[in-house]
Structure formats: structure tokens, C-alpha cells
Amino acid sequence: MLIKKINYIIMACVLVIGVALGACIMCLPSSSADTSGFSAENAAGYLKEISKKPHSVFDEENHEEVRQYLLTTLRDMGYEVEEHNWTPEEHGFSDNLSPEGLLDEDRPVEYDVKNLWVKIPGKSDTGMLIMAHYDSRGHATRTGEIPGSYGAADDGYGVSVLLEIARLYKDVPQSALENSIYLCFADAEETGMYGSKLEAMHNATLKNNVNFVMNVEARGVKGPVYMFETSTNNRNVIRLYKNADMPFAYSLATAVYTVMPNFTDFTSMLEIGKAGINFAVLDNLYYYHTPEDNFSNINKNSLQHYGSQIMPIIKEYTTNAAYSDMDYFEAGEDSVFFNILPTVMAVYTETAGIVFAVLAALLFAAAAFFLVKKGKIRLKHTLVAVGVIFAAMLGAAAFGFVLSYLVALIGGVPWKLTYIRVPLSGIPFALSLIVVLGLLLWFAIRKNGKNSFFKWEYLTAGAFISLLLALITTFALVGASFLFLWPAVLASIVMLVNAFTGNYYIGHALMSLCSLVILLLNVPILYSLLLAVTPGGLLAVNLLFVVALAIMIPVALAQKDLTIQKAAE
């Protein structure tokens, strides 16, 4: 009985530790008042001034007040500020968005576009560009949006981060910087990314001297700051990003974002071939693009997280002469990257990912072969298990779709796969996972009592499905492959060891590690996926949840059997 109790304690500890560490990956630094480094408290002072009033391009007087505040603040710091202004006749944009959110592609845009440009010179004119837009949202185009945002998060967070960077570097001598820093406060992002488009078209410094871009955005008002988008062939980009303190990034997100119809000022930079990264908070979409995006709803810890990531990147870039090469960030492949522990990132190249996938397939094949040969699984029943898991995936996805459709119906908003804007969206997320988990546990416990082969056949089937998804994504969407590859590898190791030994201690250690890694990968990703795509994404969330449970549940049952065998000795 004591061994059984210890077994349950170990399994419970793995579950608690895995969920807790997975949640801690999303933890934020505390806001700092220490002005010797990046200070969210100080940045909030800028932010308070920026977000006093709605300041979209349609709020002409307020918009100009914000621009003048930026000009004055930067000049008071001692900077020469370039004003890059274009009249309607000069910029010639015609896809005009009205204050009511109506688009008239034939009517000329009738307002000036005014950007601000600052250079923090280094020994080399080659530099990184850090940009944010200073206009707020003045119109509503999607359900749930309300005109008149104060722009505190979107994009007051970005603008205040740039001002804080300017403050920290205002007294740094040129001789201390190997490379330059350029700051761009862009206009008219909310109505068409006009400010960034004009810089991309006309700014010779941008074209000839900038080889790396960081864009600072927001799609919510709180939570961790995601590095959610990169340029293509990002191997060297990620090498630089790894210098961030408390990095938070998944190549799954950057891979998925490339196929989504979303745009920021960073898009304009990608269109002219610039390398770089894009940052944003995602939590509390309900305040996004509404008057609730105001100073009273900001989160200073989130603001500090921008600084925690961005400042070490700037330091590395400006103190290393290697980045003076305009071609430094050119690379022939992408990287796969993900947080595995709080503040710890795993990174490897696309080529390495292919090698890992091939080795994983060989490892699984060997494990399955020996399990069959030693009579621990039956091939026919294992194939049936594969079919059952696929059916569970489809059923869970269908349940997620129905639940998200009901959420949209009750909330009075149209159903969209990536944008259902309702309050308390975490409730259907939790309900969905509880229902899916409950049904799968009920099925597993019921079958386990009747079939001594069950756990290993279903573990083999679960590992096969994860491996199949890993192989597909490795060659079709490489950034997503890690989510399936490493659970498949660990499950295959568990299978292979079981084929040759039933050692209690080795088995428990490997199975616990397998479950722990799956939790560390899935807890932050599933939660972040919900934030990114809203309840409409429950279809995908549930599907991924089943893939994870298809390994975790058989592993837990196998641990139970090991304990029973040990108790009988």
C-alpha cells in the first residue's frame, strides 16, 4: 500500500510541477522604479501623457498634441528629431478608411502622415531600427471594437518603450556604440500602416543602413510579451533574440502567424526584405480597440517585460561589431525555438530539426518492433488504437467548434475561427478541456480494466500520431514541429526501455520525464493559443490537447502497473 501511495504522490507531483512550471514560463518581471536601467515606472510617466485623450488620425488636435509631446520630450533629451511629413498630394494613398470604419478604396486619404525619426549614432551607421506607432484606434471595423481608444497599450506601450530607450541612451557617447540605433515613431498605422509604408518607400537610411528591425506592438493590455513574428530565414535573427532576458517565444506562433491575415508596421519592413522581430502583449483582447484601452487598465509588469527582452538585445547589437555587416542576418534556413523552462529557450536549426525527425522515426520503429516481438503489444489492436485516437481528435475538435459557436451565439458576435470577442473567454476554454479530459479518462480507465495490453498499445498509437504530425510539420510548417517531435521521442524511449526491462525506478523516471515535458510544452502553448485566436480556436486547442493526452494517459496507467508489480514482489 505504501508503494501505491508513493506512486500517486509522484504522479501528482509531476502534474503539479509541470502545470506550475508551464504557467511560470508566462510569468512577468516586477515593474522597476530603478532608472539606471529600463524602468516601467518611468515609462508609465510617458504613457500617461500619451494616453490622456483618444488620438487617432481622425482626432486631429489630440493627435497633434501627442506628436508635439514626443517632439518636445526627445528634444529635451538632446536629440535631433527628423520630421518625415507627407501631405495627401505627396503620399497619394487612396484606400481611405472613414471614422465610421467604412472603406472607400477610390477616395483619396485626406490627412497628412507625420513620422518622427531619431538616430542614436554609433561608430558604424549600420544600425537597428526600433519602431512603434503613435496614433490610436479611432474607428471600429470588427465586432466588439468601439471607436475612441486612448491607445494606452496599442500602441502607448510601444511609444513609451521607445522613449525609455531614448532616455537610457541619451548620454551614451558614440565611441561606446559599435553600431547605431534608429527610432521611428510611425503615424497612421491603424488606418493602413501608412507611416511605415512611406518610410519603406522613401527613407534611404532605412534601406541602406538598417539591417535589423524591432517593432513594438500590443493586442491586449496585459500578460507576457510575446515575440510572435520574425522575418523569414530567421536563424541569425533568433541567435540575437536569445540574448533577451526572460525571452518568451515559440516558433509555432511565428509559423502560424505567417499564414494569418494580420498586419502591423513590421509588415512594411518585411516587404522590403528587412530582418527582425515583432513584440506584443495578447491578454485581454476585450479592451483592445475600445475606450477601455486607457491608462487605468495598463499593466506595468507587462511594460517591464518589453524592456526585459528588448534592452539586452540592443546591448548585444550595439557592442558587437559583427552586426555592422549589412548582410549579417542573411541565412538560408529558419530556426525552431521554444521555451522549455522559465527564462530557458531551446533553439536549433531547421536542418537539425529534419535530422531529429528522422532519428525519432527510427527510434519509434525500433521501439514498436521490439514491443511486438516480445509480445507486449498486438499490431492489429495498435492500429485500432490509432483509429480511436484519430476519432477522439476529430470528436474533440468538433466539440470545440460547437462550444465556440455557442459562445459566439450567446455573446451576440459572429463566429470566426480566429476572432470571437467576448468577455470571460477563459470559461469555455476551461470547460472544453475538462470535458475532453473527463471523457478520455473515462474511456481509458474503462478499457484498462479489461485489456492488459491496452496501455502499451495506446501509448504506441499516441507516439505514432505525434511522430506523424512531427514529420508533416517538419516539412510543411517546421516551426510547429517541436510540439509533436519531443513527446514522440520521449514516448518512444519509454516504449523501448519497457521492451527490455520492467525496472520500476527506470520506468518511473522516464515516464515522469515524458509527462513533465509534455506539460511544459503544452500548458503555455494551449493558453497562448486561446489568447491569440480567441474561443474560435477551441477546435485547434482541443485537437492538440488530445494529442498530448494520447501519450500522457497511457503513461500514467503504465506507471500504475509498474507500481502494482513492485508491490507484488
Side-chain angles (χ1 to χ4, degrees):
M1 288 298 294
L2 178 60
I3 291 178
K4 288 184 180 180
K5 288 181 179 178
I6 293 173
N7 172 65
Y8 290 130
I9 291 172
I10 291 173
M11 293 171 65
C13 286
V14 169
L15 180 62
V16 171
I17 292 171
V19 172
L21 283 177
C24 283
I25 289 173
M26 299 181 285
C27 287
L28 298 172
S30 298
S31 63
S32 173
D34 181 3
T35 55
S36 64
F38 187 95
S39 168
E41 296 293 336
N42 193 68
Y46 305 129
L47 181 53
K48 187 174 184 179
E49 293 298 318
I50 293 163
S51 60
K52 278 184 174 179
K53 304 172 185 175
H55 50 278
S56 75
V57 293
F58 305 120
D59 304 300
E60 295 182 22
E61 185 175 331
N62 299 344
H63 180 263
E64 180 61 18
E65 283 183 11
V66 170
R67 192 179 78 89
Q68 290 297 328
Y69 172 75
L70 297 177
L71 268 170
T72 301
T73 302
L74 290 164
R75 285 171 176 165
D76 286 348
M77 291 180 186
Y79 289 106
E80 293 183 10
V81 184
E82 296 181 21
E83 299 182 56
H84 296 177
N85 301 339
W86 290 270
T87 65
E89 293 74 25
E90 290 170 329
H91 60 62
F93 291 120
S94 61
D95 47 346
N96 196 354
L97 194 64
S98 72
E100 294 76 32
L102 301 176
L103 181 66
D104 185 345
E105 296 183 358
D106 298 320
R107 186 161 62 91
V109 171
E110 299 170 347
Y111 47 82
D112 294 352
V113 177
K114 301 178 179 181
N115 299 339
L116 302 178
W117 183 272
V118 172
K119 179 181 180 181
I120 304 173
K123 296 175 187 176
S124 170
D125 285 334
T126 300
M128 66 159 53
L129 170 64
I130 310 169
M131 63 190 308
H133 67 89
Y134 70 89
D135 62 310
S136 66
R137 186 79 161 189
H139 60 283
T141 56
R142 291 176 289 191
T143 302
E145 295 183 347
I146 303 172
S149 167
Y150 287 76
D154 180 24
D155 192 22
Y157 279 169
V159 173
S160 60
V161 166
L162 265 63
L163 289 175
E164 184 66 356
I165 292 168
R167 180 188 68 81
L168 289 168
Y169 277 87
K170 65 185 178 67
D171 296 321
V172 176
Q174 182 174 355
S175 59
L177 304 178
E178 295 293 337
N179 305 300
S180 298
I181 303 169
Y182 299 96
L183 305 177
C184 180
F185 299 82
D187 193 7
E189 189 270 352
E190 296 289 1
T191 49
M193 303 172 296
Y194 297 139
S196 60
K197 287 179 179 178
L198 287 165
E199 294 294 338
M201 287 189 287
H202 301 294
N203 191 328
T205 300
L206 170 61
K207 293 178 180 179
N208 300 324
N209 298 114
V210 170
N211 64 357
F212 187 78
V213 178
M214 288 196 286
N215 188 55
V216 190
E217 260 287 1
R219 187 182 181 261
V221 299
K222 64 178 182 178
V225 176
Y226 292 76
M227 194 284 285
F228 69 96
E229 184 182 15
T230 73
S231 48
T232 56
N233 295 323
N234 61 26
R235 184 190 64 197
N236 293 340
V237 167
I238 297 303
R239 285 179 180 173
L240 177 57
Y241 174 71
K242 279 182 66 180
N243 289 279
D245 185 20
M246 299 187 72
F248 189 50
Y250 291 88
S251 53
L252 169 65
T254 60
V256 171
Y257 192 85
T258 60
V259 297
M260 292 179 67
N262 295 325
F263 307 95
T264 67
D265 282 333
F266 190 61
T267 308
S268 303
M269 301 299 106
L270 295 179
E271 289 174 350
I272 60 172
K274 295 300 175 183
I277 52 182
N278 205 353
F279 294 94
V281 291
L282 297 179
D283 204 350
N284 207 333
L285 178 69
Y286 201 62
Y287 287 173
Y288 177 63
H289 287 174
T290 75
E292 294 301 315
D293 182 6
N294 58 50
F295 187 76
S296 65
N297 288 322
I298 69 165
N299 187 295
K300 293 179 183 178
N301 294 343
S302 294
L303 192 54
Q304 189 69 43
H305 197 203
Y306 281 105
S308 296
Q309 295 191 70
I310 290 172
M311 294 309 298
I313 296 172
I314 298 174
K315 181 179 179 180
E316 165 63 17
Y317 183 93
T318 56
T319 57
N320 188 337
Y323 299 109
S324 299
D325 181 1
M326 280 294 292
D327 297 326
Y328 178 87
F329 292 99
E330 290 188 6
E333 60 182 342
D334 283 317
S335 285
V336 178
F337 52 93
F338 53 95
N339 284 78
I340 189 61
L341 288 169
T343 76
V344 178
M345 282 189 69
V347 179
Y348 52 86
T349 64
E350 180 180 348
T351 300
I354 294 172
V355 173
F356 291 151
V358 172
L359 293 176
L362 295 174
L363 177 64
F364 171 82
F369 171 78
F370 285 113
L371 283 174
V372 172
K373 185 176 180 179
K374 291 180 177 292
K376 295 193 174 184
I377 64 171
R378 299 161 297 179
L379 184 59
K380 179 180 177 180
H381 289 78
T382 302
L383 293 175
V384 171
V386 171
V388 170
I389 294 173
F390 271 122
M393 290 166 60
L394 293 175
F399 175 72
F401 166 75
V402 171
L403 184 58
S404 66
Y405 188 84
L406 289 175
V407 167
L409 187 65
I410 294 170
V413 299
W415 184 90
K416 291 183 180 180
L417 180 62
T418 60
Y419 199 84
I420 297 178
R421 189 168 174 147
V422 293
L424 303 175
S425 60
I427 293 175
F429 172 72
L431 175 63
S432 187
L433 296 193
I434 289 169
V435 170
V436 171
L437 175 61
L439 289 174
L440 288 176
L441 282 174
W442 172 82
F443 173 79
I445 293 169
R446 181 172 176 271
K447 290 288 290 184
N448 187 51
K450 299 178 179 179
N451 183 355
S452 61
F453 294 90
F454 171 86
K455 63 200 69 64
W456 293 107
E457 288 169 348
Y458 271 81
L459 177 58
T460 304
F464 171 77
I465 289 172
S466 284
L467 177 62
L468 179 63
L469 292 172
L471 291 170
I472 291 171
T473 51
T474 293
F475 295 99
L477 199 67
V478 67
S481 60
F482 72 89
L483 185 58
F484 312 109
L485 175 65
W486 298 110
V489 167
L490 290 168
S492 297
I493 292 173
V494 169
M495 291 159 53
L496 190 61
V497 170
N498 176 69
F500 291 99
T501 177
N503 185 278
Y504 172 80
Y505 300 103
I506 295 175
H508 251 300
L510 288 173
M511 292 177 194
S512 296
L513 177 63
C514 181
S515 296
L516 182 62
V517 169
I518 291 173
L519 288 169
L520 288 172
L521 290 175
N522 280 273
V523 168
I525 285 178
L526 293 182
Y527 181 72
S528 300
L529 185 61
L530 176 75
L531 293 182
V533 298
T534 72
L538 283 175
L539 183 155
V541 167
N542 283 3
L543 191 149
L544 293 176
F545 192 43
V546 171
V547 172
L549 291 177
I551 292 176
M552 287 187 66
I553 291 176
V555 161
L557 294 173
Q559 284 182 288
K560 176 185 173 184
D561 271 12
L562 274 178
T563 303
I564 293 173
Q565 293 169 16
K566 181 69 174 177
E569 292 178 0

